[in-house]
Structures are given as structure tokens and as C-alpha cells.
Amino acid sequence: MITEKINPQAEALDAVVIRFVGDSGDGMQLTGTQFSDTSAMFGNDVATFPNYPSEIRAPQGSLYGVSGFQVHIGSVEISTPGDSVDLLVAMNPAGLKTNLYAVKPGQTIIVDVDSFTKKNLEKAQYTTNPLHDGSLENYRIIEVGMSSLTKEALKDIEGLDNKSITRSKNMFALGMVYWLYDRSPEHTIDFFNKKFKNKPELIEANTRVLNAGYFYAETIELIPNSYSISPAKMAGGTYRIIMGNTATAWGFLAAAEKSGRELFLGSYPITPATDILHELVKHKHFGVKAFQAEDEIAGISSAIGASFAGDLAITTTSGPGLALKGEALGLAMMIELPLVVVNVQRGGPSTGLPTKTEQSDLMQAMYGRNGESPVIVIAASTPANCFNYAYQASKLALEHMTPVVLLTDGYIANGSAPWKITTVDELPEIKNHIVKEGGEDWHPYNRDENTLARNWALPGTPGLEHRVGGLEKDRITGDVSHVPENHEIMTFTRAEKVKRVQNYIPELAPKFAEEGDLLIVGWGGTYGSLYSAVKQMNREGHKNIGLAHFNYINPLPKNTEEVFKRFKKILVCELNNGQFVNILRMNFNIEFLQYNKIQGLPFANSELIEKFKQLVK
């Protein structure tokens, strides 16, 4: 067992981008996660990007069945999982073919040479073996017989079948990469001991293969030296690496604790939102009530019922599910009950690209209901701040008595980053409008004069009996009303209630330039890419470029137009065909340029910088 790694010849690096690729059954997600967690514990800043096929089990060796995990670690600030790859670990020919484009010339590729059989080469649509035909001469190729070396390492362990032995080869690759980047395998060995505590043969097998890969990298002459990445300089505090979906779940837990409301989740599983349900189910000891419904409509309807009963009510979904929830979301808006709907966006339309990222549900979140039915719409922008915006969505819903749609996306939901742990005491207060008793002057639609939030009367409270439902309400008594003027008043009131949220959200604060020639505008999960690209432009001397990133979409921050007017050109960058830019055009008489990408992938720094430079010549 390895306890310490010291290599005096290690070359110091500021940052490195590593990608693990192979079949969906090769354990690439686990391999990448272990490397990320180990690097985070070492103190590096980390950003990750899991990328896997939509099929549960794609055909082995096929091009569309490749699963990948990219991790960017550094001693400097890391905002994205990176563009070009410094090290590619390819477990089969298909992984090599579909990911070679991302590797910078002169960089390293580690391949499992045992997988480069005639059959696998044909599946990957190679006519010749790329390891022999000279097509990889611009890269440093390290050919390793991982499969055969794994079998050799495990030949004397009893109780392992051939499948278990073969599946362990990802740990051989991880051991090599641990040596290459001066990481200790101890964290992963601890992980084995916990995960397989009832299966000692699997603890022994994985530990042995991990160590075998580590020592192999240390001894072969094809790897002349290792690299070191120092811990990053980060604000003081306790950190852990966290995925966006986990952070979202924890944000709701914190909001329930702070508000004194019990947390209810009514949801139907859907990629890539299901992990929020999985996470909350683990925390029943915090009073979480999690209901896996038979469909999307039942999920949101159960949450509306829980809200009526006084709970902090949540429902989670992705784009197709949000479409199904539309009518019930309109009902919650009509009744004026607090409700948070989380939409973890994915590629669409229809089933689309369920495991890829996109920002194409914004118009649906804003307008995807019948009638005039405004709701609050906010968006998280990093894996870590999914916690903050889940908390903020809960606060806005409870304090303004209206539904909130929280948008995340597959990129930040499945990605991970360091998160500075926050205590409940550090979080802002969450109030509510629950009334304890009635009286002659009490009515269900009495409103707070500042927020226009109505009373929240819980069922079973003596003297607070009232009607709810989807029919239009009298503006005071809550009884059914078909009076034309009343309907118009209620329509304007519900819209004004959402608009007044502007008074309770932060103003827009552009980063880098406060005014100048070009303002880059984004929203949601594109933040890391846009921030990194503008930062690089700034370093190169373009001090007249600013970044305005939106987390609050409906309503927009009060000073949005004021910020826009300080810049000569405004470029709106989105992973869709221009949804946010059209919302801005509806609100402001300003010329907006747009830059869009709809490939199921995040923006690359290089493509953003190329576009920015075209506009600042």
C-alpha cells in the first residue's frame, strides 16, 4: 500500500486538464470523480464535466457509447472544466477517436493497448490501427496493456469472476494518473474500504490494481517525470467538493431549517434532475418528506397540496417534465401558493439529448402556461451556487406567495466544484405569511402592502376557512368571481407582485469593466465559460470589456437598462437559439448582438475569445 509520494523531479504546473474516456461500463465517471475528490482534498481548485451517452447501456465499443469525465485542477482560480486536454486516458479505440480532437499537439495520451483489437477498431470505424499508422505522431502515446496487467495483478485472489477482474482496469489507469500528477491514492483506498466493507475481496482487488498502476507509471521509462500542482489560494473556511444537484438539495434543506417549514418533495424521476430526489431521500432525519409520484403531473400536484398544508414544497424535473407540469404550475400561481419548481435543463426538443446540456427551456419557464400567469424565474450559475439559489428560490416563494422556477442545467448539475460550507446561522432570514387566527377583518386575499403577498391560511385553523381552486378569485374574499373588472384587477395584481420582487433582489453588478466598448451578457450555467474568457481578454489588455451575468430573469434587476447603456456593444451568449436575448429585446429599446451554440456542449474559451476579438477590433 502506498502511503506517501515524493518526487523531487516533479515539474510544477499551474493547472492541468485530464479526460478519462471509455465504454459506459468502464467506470470513467467513478475514475474521474475519485481523481477530482483527491485533488480537492489536496487543496486544488477543481471543475469537472461528466459526459456520458443517453442509452442505459450503449453497444460496447461503439462511437456513441463513449462515456467521459473531464477534470480541470489548478493552483490558480478554475472557472471551467477546460477546453483543450493535457492528458487523455482512452480505454478503447472509440474513446480515442471521439476525443482526439480535444488533445493539444505534443500532449500525452494513455491507451489500453489490449482493447485495440480488430473487432474494436472496426466498431470505432478505423480502417487501420492508429497506434501503428503514424496518425498520432504529434502526440506522446503511452501504450499500456491495462487489461492484461490487471489480470496479472489479480490472478491469485479467490472469489473474483472474470467480469469483476476486467472492470477493475479503470483503477489501473487511475493509479497511473495519480503518480503522474503527484497525488496520493490514500483517499481512493479509503473509499474502497467504505464502499465494499462487506466484500473484502473487492477491497483487495481494487486496492491492488490501483497500486499496480501507480508503481507501473513510476517505473516505465515512457513517463520521464511527474507533475505537481500546488494547492490553490482560496478564501479561508471549510470546503468540500460538491455536485450541482447535491448542492441544490442541500439548499432546500437549509431553507426548510431556516424557515421552520417541513420540506416536501413531490417528483417523478427524469434525467438529469433525479439526483436531487436521490439526495433528499437520504435526509429523512431532517424531516424531509419525499414522494416519488407516478408521473410529472402527480409530482407537482402533490407539492401544491403540501404547500396548501404549510410545507416548503418542491418539485423537480427537466424540460419534458416542465411541459407536463405547466397546467398545475398555473394553478399554483392562481391560488397564490409558495412552490419551487426546479428545471435541470437538457438538450431538446422532445426527448432530445437527455444527458447533454442546453439552455433552451427559458421561454417555457417564462411563458409556458395558459393565460396571463407570471412566475418568478431565477437561474443558478455554478455547481456550488446551486445551493444559494435553491435557498433563494425557497425564500422568494415563501415571502412573496407565488411559484418560483429555478433553472439549472446538466452542465452544472452533474459538474462539481469546491463549495465553502455555510452554516444555517450565516444564511438570510426567511419570513412567511402564515396567519394564526381570523377575525372580522380577515380575508384570504388580504395582501402585504409592500410585496402584495396574500395571507397563507393553513387548513384546519379555526376561523380561516376559505376556498381554493383554479377559478378566478374575488380580490378580497377569495370566492369564485366572474366579474370582468375583478379578473382584470387580479391579473394586474399577480403581475405586479412578481415585478415588485425587484425590490428584494440584488442589482446587476458587472465584472471587469464598468463601462466600455463591449458588454458580454449571459445567464445561468454559462457563467464559468464567459467569466474565464473575459478574464483572459482582460489579461491580454482589453480592459474595456465587461461581463453582466444574470441569475434573476423574471423580474430582471432594477438597474439592468442603466448598466446596458454604459457600453457601446452588447453581446448576449446562450446555449440556445437566442431566448434570453429576445426577452431583453422585449424589455429594452437597445440593440443586442447574439452568439449561440446548440451542440449539447458548454462554450469553449477559444470560441468565445475569437468572437469577442471580432467585436473589439
Side-chain angles (χ1 to χ4, degrees):
M1 180 179 294
I2 301 163
T3 58
E4 188 176 3
K5 164 70 172 69
I6 300 175
N7 187 350
Q9 297 180 338
E11 178 184 341
L13 300 175
D14 288 334
V16 66
V17 179
I18 303 163
R19 185 182 296 182
F20 301 91
V21 294
D23 272 324
S24 56
D26 282 341
M28 295 297 94
Q29 306 304 317
L30 175 62
T31 305
T33 299
Q34 283 300 305
F35 186 85
S36 304
D37 289 352
T38 296
S39 297
M41 291 183 70
F42 181 72
N44 297 133
D45 201 356
V46 178
T48 70
F49 179 44
N51 192 2
Y52 44 90
S54 58
E55 292 84 352
I56 293 175
R57 180 67 71 178
Q60 194 171 19
S62 63
L63 293 174
Y64 61 90
V66 173
S67 176
F69 191 104
Q70 183 163 310
V71 55
H72 189 185
I73 65 171
S75 60
V76 294
E77 182 183 31
I78 301 296
S79 304
T80 73
D83 288 0
S84 53
V85 174
D86 299 296
L87 173 68
L88 176 68
V89 179
M91 305 301 285
N92 63 8
L96 175 65
K97 186 163 190 175
T98 54
N99 290 275
L100 182 62
Y101 74 93
V103 186
K104 293 181 286 190
Q107 297 303 316
T108 302
I109 302 173
I110 299 175
V111 298
D112 178 11
V113 70
D114 292 337
S115 69
F116 279 69
T117 62
K118 181 180 179 182
K119 183 178 180 180
N120 283 343
L121 288 168
E122 289 174 352
K123 287 181 180 179
Q125 301 177 17
Y126 277 116
T127 56
T128 60
N129 190 332
L131 302 179
H132 303 152
D133 64 12
S135 59
L136 302 177
E137 61 183 11
N138 291 330
Y139 307 95
R140 185 171 67 168
I141 307 299
I142 301 175
E143 299 181 21
V144 184
M146 294 187 203
S147 300
S148 55
L149 288 169
T150 296
K151 291 178 181 178
E152 178 66 22
L154 301 180
K155 64 182 180 181
D156 59 346
I157 296 183
E158 296 182 1
L160 289 180
D161 56 27
N162 189 60
K163 183 178 180 181
S164 297
I165 292 173
T166 303
R167 290 180 64 180
S168 300
K169 67 180 181 180
N170 62 324
M171 290 299 109
F172 194 97
L174 181 59
M176 292 187 65
V177 178
Y178 275 152
W179 182 87
L180 192 58
Y181 292 102
D182 207 21
R183 315 278 98 168
S184 169
E186 287 301 315
H187 170 76
T188 299
I189 294 171
D190 290 342
F191 169 79
F192 296 152
N193 287 317
K194 294 174 183 176
K195 183 176 178 63
F196 303 120
K197 62 181 179 181
N198 297 322
K199 297 180 179 180
E201 72 279 5
L202 293 182
I203 296 175
E204 172 66 19
N206 283 282
T207 301
R208 189 180 293 190
V209 175
L210 182 71
N211 287 340
Y214 188 96
F215 288 127
Y216 182 83
E218 188 177 39
T219 56
I220 64 171
E221 295 181 356
L222 291 174
I223 305 180
N225 64 293
S226 66
Y227 305 92
S228 65
I229 299 100
S230 300
K233 295 178 181 178
M234 305 172 75
T238 303
Y239 288 81
R240 63 153 287 163
I241 193 165
I242 197 167
M243 291 179 62
N245 275 339
T246 303
T248 301
W250 289 10
F252 291 134
L253 290 171
E257 176 71 19
K258 193 75 172 185
S259 65
R261 299 288 90 203
E262 291 187 349
L263 179 62
F264 178 90
L265 172 70
S267 283
Y268 179 75
I270 183 172
T271 301
T274 308
D275 283 341
I276 302 173
L277 170 62
H278 291 167
E279 183 62 28
L280 286 175
V281 166
K282 300 175 185 176
H283 300 290
K284 292 181 180 179
H285 54 287
F286 286 136
V288 175
K289 293 170 285 189
F291 169 57
Q292 181 174 316
E294 66 268 26
D295 56 39
E296 296 282 2
I297 298 171
I300 187 172
S301 297
S302 67
I304 292 172
S307 177
F308 179 59
D311 283 357
L312 170 56
I314 314 295
T315 187
T316 57
T317 191
S318 191
L322 186 63
L324 292 169
K325 293 180 189 291
E327 182 182 1
L329 180 54
L331 172 64
M333 186 278 311
M334 190 72 165
I335 303 174
E336 299 188 52
L337 283 173
L339 174 71
V340 180
V341 180
V342 182
N343 177 20
V344 186
Q345 299 169 96
R346 69 191 207 185
S350 187
T351 309
L353 302 172
T355 60
K356 310 300 180 184
T357 196
E358 207 164 276
Q359 290 184 298
S360 54
D361 294 343
L362 180 57
M363 287 295 189
Q364 182 178 207
M366 289 282 290
Y367 308 114
R369 296 164 295 283
N370 62 299
E372 298 287 344
S373 52
V375 298
I376 300 170
V377 179
I378 67 176
S381 49
T382 70
N385 77 21
C386 284
F387 175 91
N388 304 83
Y389 287 101
Y391 186 92
Q392 182 70 355
S394 305
K395 178 178 169 67
L396 291 173
L398 292 170
E399 294 186 348
H400 296 269
M401 290 295 290
T402 194
V404 176
V405 177
L406 170 61
L407 297 172
T408 70
D409 58 58
Y411 174 52
I412 59 174
N414 291 322
S416 58
W419 171 62
K420 185 179 179 181
I421 295 174
T422 304
T423 67
V424 173
D425 290 341
E426 295 174 290
L427 295 168
E429 180 185 10
I430 297 180
K431 302 176 183 177
N432 63 58
H433 295 273
I434 294 175
V435 288
K436 302 295 185 181
E437 58 184 21
E440 291 185 4
D441 297 330
W442 178 82
H443 295 288
Y445 282 82
N446 288 345
R447 298 182 183 276
D448 181 284
E449 63 180 9
N450 295 316
T451 65
L452 296 182
R454 77 167 182 90
N455 285 326
W456 193 7
L458 305 187
T461 307
L464 300 183
E465 295 84 359
H466 64 287
R467 296 185 62 171
V468 296
L471 292 172
E472 184 61 278
K473 309 291 182 298
D474 181 87
R475 66 182 183 273
I476 297 174
T477 67
D479 294 335
V480 173
S481 172
H482 296 289
V483 176
E485 292 81 7
N486 179 79
H487 175 55
E488 187 169 74
I489 289 171
M490 289 294 278
T491 298
F492 289 152
T493 299
R494 290 187 289 260
E496 177 64 20
K497 181 170 64 169
V498 172
K499 181 175 176 55
R500 288 193 185 184
V501 172
Q502 283 186 324
N503 299 325
Y504 301 90
I505 61 175
E507 291 194 340
L508 185 63
K511 296 182 182 296
F512 304 102
E514 294 282 337
E515 59 182 69
D517 293 336
L518 178 63
L519 179 66
I520 305 303
V521 171
W523 67 275
T526 58
Y527 173 76
S529 300
L530 298 178
Y531 177 86
S532 180
V534 175
K535 182 180 179 181
Q536 184 171 332
M537 291 285 288
N538 191 266
R539 273 201 309 262
E540 292 177 4
H542 297 279
K543 304 294 185 182
N544 56 350
I545 301 178
L547 171 64
H549 204 81
F550 286 79
N551 296 106
Y552 297 92
I553 311 283
N554 193 36
L556 294 164
K558 267 185 176 181
N559 66 329
T560 298
E561 185 171 17
E562 174 195 338
V563 171
F564 285 166
K565 287 184 174 180
R566 297 184 209 150
F567 291 84
K568 297 177 182 177
K569 295 179 182 178
I570 302 173
L571 177 68
V572 184
C573 302
E574 305 179 71
L575 299 178
N576 58 43
N577 200 27
Q579 297 188 20
F580 186 52
V581 73
N582 284 326
I583 290 172
L584 294 177
R585 286 167 179 156
M586 285 190 285
N587 282 275
F588 307 108
N589 186 24
I590 294 173
E591 181 183 0
F592 295 98
L593 306 173
Q594 62 186 87
Y595 182 60
N596 305 100
K597 180 177 181 178
I598 322 171
Q599 300 176 13
L601 295 169
F603 283 120
N605 270 26
S606 55
E607 61 192 7
L608 289 171
I609 290 170
E610 180 181 357
K611 181 64 178 180
F612 299 168
K613 287 183 176 179
Q614 291 173 5
L615 297 175
V616 292
K617 288 181 179 178

